[in-house]
Amino acid sequence: MRISKGALLVVIAVLIPFIVEFRTALSWFGIEISVLESLVLGAVVVLAIVIWAVWPPNGDAEAEPTGSS
Amino acid sequence: MNIHTYEKAWLVAAMVLIVGFMATITYGAVGPGIAMIDDDGGTIDPAEINDHERFGEPGVEHVGDDEYEVAVVAQAWSYTPEQIEVPADSEVTFYVTSRDVTHSFSVVGTNVNTMVIPGQISEMTVRFDEPGEYGILCNEYCGEYHHTMEGKLNVVPEDEFDLTELSVDAPSEVEAGNETTITANVSNGMQEDLETTVALEIGDQGSERDVTVPGDGSEEVEFTVDSAELGEGDHDWTVTVDDYEETGTLTVVNATDGGDGSAASGGDGDA
Amino acid sequence: MRNAYVDQFPAEAKVIKAAFWSSFLALAIGGSLGLLQALHRTDVLRIMEAPDYYTVLTAHGVLLAITFTIFFLVGIFTWGVTTSLDRGLVDLRFTWGWYAMMVVGTVLVGVSILGGVVDAIPMNADVLFTFYAPLQPHPAFYVGLVLFVVGTWLAGADWFRTWLAWRSDNPDERIPLPTFMALTTTLFWYLCTLGVALSILLLLLPWSLGIVDSVNPLLTRTLFWYFGHAVVYFWLMPAYMLWYVMLPKLSGGKLFSDPLARVVFVLFLLLSTPTGIHHQYLDPGIAEGYKFIAMTNTMFLLLPSLLTAFTVVASMEHGARQRGGTGYLGWLKALPWRDPVFTGMALAGLMFAAAGFSGMINAGMNINYLVHNTWWIVGHFHLTVGTAVALTFMAAAYWFIPQVTGKELWNRSLGLVQVLVWFVGMTFMSNAMHRSGLFGVPRRTAEPQYENFAFEPAAGSMGEINAQVALGATLLTVSLALFLLNMVMTSLGGSSDEIPDNTYAETLSGPEDAPVVLDNLKLWTAIATVLVIFAYTLPLASIIDAGGLFGPGIDGFQLAIEAGPAFVLESVREVIA
């Protein structure tokens, strides 16, 4: 894990407003995407982040933060 | 006091932001002249609204050139008048007061928005650059059916705007052979004189009369109708002035019938 | 050896526990009513009549904005004063006395509101949180409010006498930071509640009892806002206190600067009250100059909040670096994100930043005309009191409930999920509310569907906005249920030895760096009073001069008409004709 599970959850939660408003922002430029397309897009981004998070970090340049408190 | 360098920079940036905000708002007031609702409207006793010179007869009034005044009374749960029509590109001053509790007078999608507090008169002057239709709503809770309180504001092109009113006084029946009179009353709420034409059509006859209605005054136009030319039976009539129209039916009855009372109602009312 | 708060101050822990549970109860009821309203307004589910919406809205506003926040506040401040002075309260009977007074006040207010939907209770208080005259509630509503406020005054007196007792033993020491925060907050609370207390006792209560037959609606309204803006800082200050004294420690470090924390609280003492007129930018009868003064004060209130943003983020970064975090932003990864107490407070702070931006719009005298009384405002304060405060309090409860009960938190992971669900739910709801306000959708409106016109969103549709609000409100309710479940299960659990010690954050730059004058509470109170006099004397004098102390014969209205609106409209038209 590159980041702790807790941090991953937080990242996904914070991502949600951006995905919601991305649709609004696009509509300003005349690009209309449906709610379903928006959901798919969100799922893809979340999946990418999850994969990035669980992929073992190459090299040991950074110590792995455990995130425990 | 020991303040970190970054914190000092942040402090300065924060002050610049704050002063900047106040500068833009001050500019808004001084430059483009965005005025606030203030105490210019004065106070009023809600119990005396009906006798008040302005609110006794709420509505649109022309006060000169391109200046108009609109008096609105808010009460649970409606505005009087509900429909307001004003010309575009003119200076319109709204005066709003409340008969009972606190309301608002808010033109949806614009910054024409004021609280309406009993005992106070809200005054605000606005200019609508473009014609359009706007909703008016009350956005302050005013009782159980607050959500039903609404009105309508129509901003019409300047050259299509007038304050003309037409009312017609006509009998509903006339004895065959007699003459009768249909009277059109044209009132003009604008300050300038109104030159127009009043037209009457009845049956297949028509007549027109040019009139000049003085500013802030009214003019009566009488049309004499000869029942002999119409013949017995029902005759629909229409009086028109500009875009205003008033209709009704005149029944010509045989004197010996004594009238059968089947006549439709005569026209009588405001356009 | 366990050294939790309950071990240090067992008697005070009981009071705090009672205050917290009163607060949670208000949160449970008020929050559930919020869902009912959101679903009704958005036309997703309408199980009540439209008029009942306003009864429910009154309860939602009063229970959450007043009861939930202030009961939690008295708990936190009692903890802060006793912990930082390291001594108990002077007299616990007095303490239980003010707690009981607050409870009685709440019950009176609650019952009078409930009368709006329960026929068996011959009362009615459908006047919303702002109780603008001439809408008239049952006198019990006013009496309850006064009792509640007087209870908080006595709570403040309790903290002051505890501090004075400490002072006589420690004449030369600096006031510990948490106590300093509690005392400055209490001082501006005294200053601001004076206005509403006078308004209720001298004007509204006699009027509702029929002793005087009229009110001046603009006067009582102005006196309400004299209190009404300061109260938002009152419920915000405990959250600020937690961000200053808890969050740095949770992050693993120390508070960046004690002196600036004091400066921030002094600024709130000075500026909280002389800003209330910014809620009345659209009111007739108040000259533009007075509105401008209120705006200037409001804008300067941005300063302490911006300073807080700096100090809190700097403290978190310090903590993260202590935990091994590196890089410009890489340190963020080193923060204890699995801890619901930390994550909840951090997300609350993040949303408060967003609320700050919409607040700047509200404060702008001219831009305010576009958003005043629209749903934008509701979106704004659901970020402030509904998240910055409520989410901080809920997150803090995960630390405090174990402290005051000696029982370990039932489920930490569930706590993390809970704060995240709140964040996501509030994102949906408040974002949609903000957006809809920009195209004129009004607040406080049961069924905002009009016959003459339709709302025209710049982007998206009204249906989409409604769906976001309904979804957001549902998520918030789920989050609320998870929170309450965790609290109940924790309380049912057994005593644990695993409770962390009762401490708060140390500082990098301590009180020794702060000028002594910062601790001169008399001086700051005097300046605050002068500012209030400066901001309010002339507006109040001109309102009374124009409309009279009691107004021109304005009767009370309880706009609940059995026959329905059509009947009323008709009779009103007859009056006009």
Side-chain angles (χ1 to χ4, degrees):
Chain A
M1 292 282 289
R2 289 170 194 255
I3 53 174
S4 68
K5 277 185 199 155
L8 179 60
L9 268 178
V10 172
V11 167
I12 292 170
V14 173
L15 197 65
I16 289 173
F18 287 96
I19 292 169
V20 171
E21 279 316 293
F22 183 62
R23 187 163 165 265
T24 317
L26 280 183
S27 77
W28 284 102
F29 300 103
I31 306 165
E32 303 283 343
I33 62 173
S34 70
V35 175
L36 190 69
E37 286 164 339
S38 199
L39 279 175
V40 171
L41 181 74
V44 170
V45 177
V46 168
L47 193 68
I49 289 176
V50 171
I51 290 172
W52 168 82
V54 298
W55 211 261
N58 42 352
D60 51 353
E62 296 176 69
E64 187 177 334
T66 59
S68 64
S69 56
Chain B
M1 196 154 96
N2 176 10
I3 303 178
H4 195 277
T5 319
Y6 289 167
E7 192 145 27
K8 275 183 195 150
W10 178 268
L11 201 64
V12 170
M15 287 305 289
V16 169
L17 181 77
I18 290 166
V19 173
F21 272 133
M22 288 193 289
T24 58
I25 289 155
T26 310
Y27 169 75
V30 178
I34 303 168
M36 304 293 122
I37 309 288
D38 58 16
D39 54 354
D40 285 351
T43 57
I44 184 174
D45 182 344
E48 285 163 16
I49 285 178
N50 288 350
D51 303 324
H52 191 269
E53 54 168 338
R54 188 186 298 284
F55 295 105
E57 280 182 64
V60 182
E61 197 185 338
H62 184 221
V63 290
D65 292 336
D66 64 344
E67 289 170 28
Y68 298 84
E69 290 182 352
V70 187
V72 181
V73 178
Q75 62 260 311
W77 295 282
S78 67
Y79 297 101
T80 312
E82 276 187 273
Q83 301 269 346
I84 300 169
E85 189 175 278
V86 294
D89 205 24
S90 303
E91 206 165 272
V92 182
T93 304
F94 290 94
Y95 295 88
V96 196
T97 194
S98 165
R99 197 181 290 280
D100 40 44
V101 297
T102 304
H103 300 278
S104 94
F105 177 82
S106 307
V107 180
V108 177
T110 72
N111 62 357
V112 180
N113 194 354
T114 181
M115 302 309 300
V116 184
I117 300 174
Q120 305 286 331
I121 299 171
S122 305
E123 177 190 330
M124 69 198 137
T125 301
V126 292
R127 180 178 280 273
F128 294 91
D129 293 335
E130 298 292 332
E133 293 190 2
Y134 300 92
I136 300 169
L137 58 77
C138 173
N139 65 20
E140 186 54 82
Y141 168 68
C142 56
E144 285 194 330
Y145 288 90
H146 154 60
H147 48 279
T148 61
M149 185 162 170
E150 62 176 309
K152 187 84 188 275
L153 175 69
N154 290 328
V155 180
V156 299
E158 212 179 346
D159 52 3
E160 287 175 23
F161 181 80
D162 59 49
L163 286 171
T164 307
E165 278 179 33
L166 168 67
S167 63
V168 178
D169 194 14
S172 57
E173 63 176 45
V174 59
E175 274 184 36
N178 286 0
E179 280 192 349
T180 188
T181 310
I182 292 179
T183 309
N185 190 310
V186 183
S187 73
N188 173 22
M190 304 293 280
Q191 295 296 321
E192 298 89 32
D193 293 352
L194 172 72
E195 288 184 18
T196 186
T197 306
V198 184
L200 169 73
E201 277 182 48
I202 184 160
D204 41 13
Q205 304 172 24
S207 59
E208 289 189 354
R209 221 60 77 66
D210 288 336
V211 288
T212 302
V213 189
D216 204 13
S218 61
E219 200 65 39
E220 283 198 347
V221 180
E222 292 187 351
F223 294 96
T224 305
V225 178
D226 186 354
S227 61
E229 290 177 30
L230 292 170
E232 268 182 53
D234 292 346
H235 302 280
D236 292 338
W237 55 259
T238 306
V239 177
T240 46
V241 176
D242 298 333
D243 295 337
Y244 301 91
E245 193 179 89
E246 190 70 38
T247 57
T249 304
L250 179 70
T251 308
V252 180
V253 293
N254 195 323
T256 53
D257 292 349
D260 58 12
S262 67
S265 66
D268 185 18
D270 295 334
Chain C
M1 176 64 195
R2 194 179 74 170
N3 196 21
Y5 186 80
V6 67
D7 306 312
Q8 298 167 338
F9 303 102
E12 282 79 4
K14 281 206 182 75
V15 183
I16 296 177
K17 200 167 67 176
F20 282 171
W21 274 107
S22 312
S23 161
F24 297 159
L25 187 63
L27 179 65
I29 300 171
S32 314
L33 296 179
L35 179 67
L36 203 59
Q37 290 162 85
L39 297 181
H40 187 94
R41 238 197 98 119
T42 55
D43 202 9
V44 173
L45 177 68
R46 288 184 171 165
I47 55 169
M48 56 184 173
E49 298 288 316
D52 291 340
Y53 177 91
Y54 301 107
T55 309
V56 169
L57 181 56
T58 308
H60 177 76
V62 172
L63 284 177
L64 293 184
I66 299 289
T67 316
F68 158 63
T69 53
I70 295 179
F71 267 115
F72 203 87
L73 175 146
V74 296
I76 291 287
F77 279 7
T78 303
W79 166 83
V81 168
T82 49
T83 300
S84 67
L85 297 179
D86 197 20
R87 66 186 295 147
L89 297 170
V90 175
D91 183 349
L92 259 298
R93 283 170 304 175
F94 182 72
T95 308
W96 282 110
W98 57 251
Y99 170 75
M101 203 163 175
M102 288 171 68
V103 171
V104 172
T106 303
V107 169
L108 270 182
V109 170
V111 169
S112 62
I113 296 172
L114 194 63
V117 283
V118 179
D119 290 341
I121 304 173
M123 293 181 183
N124 183 313
D126 297 341
V127 292
L128 305 194
F129 163 68
T130 45
F131 54 90
Y132 292 140
L135 286 174
Q136 194 178 56
H138 191 274
F141 178 83
Y142 293 133
V143 173
L145 280 182
V146 168
L147 281 178
F148 185 85
V149 168
V150 173
T152 63
W153 287 354
L154 298 178
D158 208 1
W159 305 320
F160 262 96
R161 64 195 288 216
T162 305
W163 167 64
L164 288 172
W166 171 87
R167 177 53 89 202
S168 61
D169 295 343
N170 303 275
D172 299 321
E173 280 204 45
R174 298 300 294 265
I175 308 174
L177 190 58
T179 303
F180 182 84
M181 292 170 163
L183 297 183
T184 45
T185 305
T186 303
L187 284 171
F188 80 68
W189 179 245
Y190 285 147
L191 199 59
C192 76
T193 43
L194 202 60
V196 76
L198 287 177
S199 169
I200 292 178
L201 289 175
L202 298 182
L203 304 171
L204 293 172
L205 189 57
W207 170 69
S208 71
L209 291 168
I211 299 168
V212 296
D213 56 8
S214 177
V215 285
N216 180 342
L218 182 60
L219 177 63
T220 51
R221 184 181 163 86
T222 305
L223 288 171
F224 176 83
W225 284 117
Y226 171 90
F227 141 92
H229 195 70
V231 71
V232 317
Y233 291 113
F234 189 55
W235 62 54
L236 192 60
M237 287 307 103
Y240 267 48
M241 181 176 176
L242 293 168
W243 296 347
Y244 274 105
V245 307
M246 297 295 298
L247 201 51
K249 193 188 64 170
L250 295 167
S251 316
K254 295 177 176 177
L255 174 62
F256 198 72
S257 168
D258 170 291
L260 277 164
R262 284 175 206 256
V263 169
V264 164
F265 275 75
V266 165
L267 283 172
F268 278 116
L269 164 57
L270 296 182
L271 294 174
S272 287
T273 313
T275 51
I277 289 178
H278 74 211
H279 287 259
Q280 299 177 280
Y281 285 154
L282 272 68
D283 280 17
I286 299 177
E288 190 169 342
Y290 305 140
K291 295 178 178 174
F292 194 87
I293 292 172
M295 181 185 76
T296 311
N297 290 339
T298 309
M299 289 292 183
F300 277 108
L301 264 177
L302 279 174
L303 190 63
S305 285
L306 287 167
L307 284 178
T308 302
F310 181 92
T311 311
V312 170
V313 175
S315 306
M316 274 164 51
E317 182 179 345
H318 171 74
R321 294 198 189 283
Q322 298 303 304
R323 294 165 59 94
T326 52
Y328 272 119
L329 290 170
W331 56 269
L332 283 168
K333 287 193 291 184
L335 289 167
W337 294 110
R338 282 172 67 185
D339 180 7
V341 188
F342 170 83
T343 303
M345 287 192 195
L347 290 178
L350 184 66
M351 291 205 111
F352 190 58
F357 288 113
S358 65
M360 291 176 205
I361 304 291
N362 303 341
M365 212 155 66
N366 46 16
I367 318 173
N368 181 267
Y369 276 65
L370 192 64
V371 296
H372 180 88
N373 265 1
T374 66
W375 228 7
W376 165 285
I377 304 298
V378 184
H380 167 75
F381 65 66
H382 276 85
L383 288 181
T384 55
V385 66
T387 304
V389 175
L391 187 54
T392 299
F393 286 1
M394 287 189 284
Y398 292 134
W399 190 83
F400 275 101
I401 288 295
Q403 285 293 323
V404 296
T405 59
K407 295 168 181 175
E408 204 175 359
L409 184 63
W410 180 59
N411 191 329
R412 262 165 53 99
S413 302
L414 191 67
L416 181 63
V417 169
Q418 185 264 320
V419 297
L420 290 174
V421 171
W422 190 276
F423 174 82
V424 173
M426 195 53 89
T427 301
F428 277 111
M429 194 173 88
S430 83
N431 175 52
M433 286 172 165
H434 273 103
R435 276 176 54 193
S436 65
L438 291 178
F439 54 85
V441 178
R443 70 186 283 198
R444 298 184 151 182
T445 300
E447 294 167 5
Q449 300 137 302
Y450 294 90
E451 286 172 10
N452 286 331
F453 62 93
F455 294 108
E456 290 166 12
S461 66
M462 197 59 209
E464 199 178 296
I465 297 276
N466 282 338
Q468 278 196 36
V469 170
L471 173 65
T474 309
L475 290 176
L476 289 168
T477 312
V478 169
S479 174
L480 176 62
L482 293 179
F483 170 75
L484 293 168
L485 175 70
N486 221 340
M487 288 296 110
V488 170
M489 295 307 287
T490 302
S491 298
L492 294 178
S495 194
S496 163
D497 291 333
E498 301 294 305
I499 312 297
D501 289 353
N502 174 37
T503 55
Y504 58 91
E506 293 170 35
T507 53
L508 283 174
S509 166
E512 63 282 359
D513 288 336
V516 181
V517 67
L518 282 177
D519 285 12
N520 189 338
L521 297 179
K522 281 183 189 144
L523 172 70
W524 302 122
T525 309
I527 298 178
T529 311
V530 169
L531 284 176
V532 167
I533 291 171
F534 183 61
Y536 268 102
T537 310
L538 291 174
L540 286 176
S542 77
I543 290 167
I544 293 170
D545 184 51
L549 196 55
F550 296 103
I554 292 179
D555 299 330
F557 289 88
Q558 295 171 336
L559 292 179
I561 311 292
E562 308 277 318
F567 167 77
V568 179
L569 290 181
E570 206 166 292
S571 54
V572 165
R573 288 207 182 93
E574 275 165 25
V575 170
I576 299 162

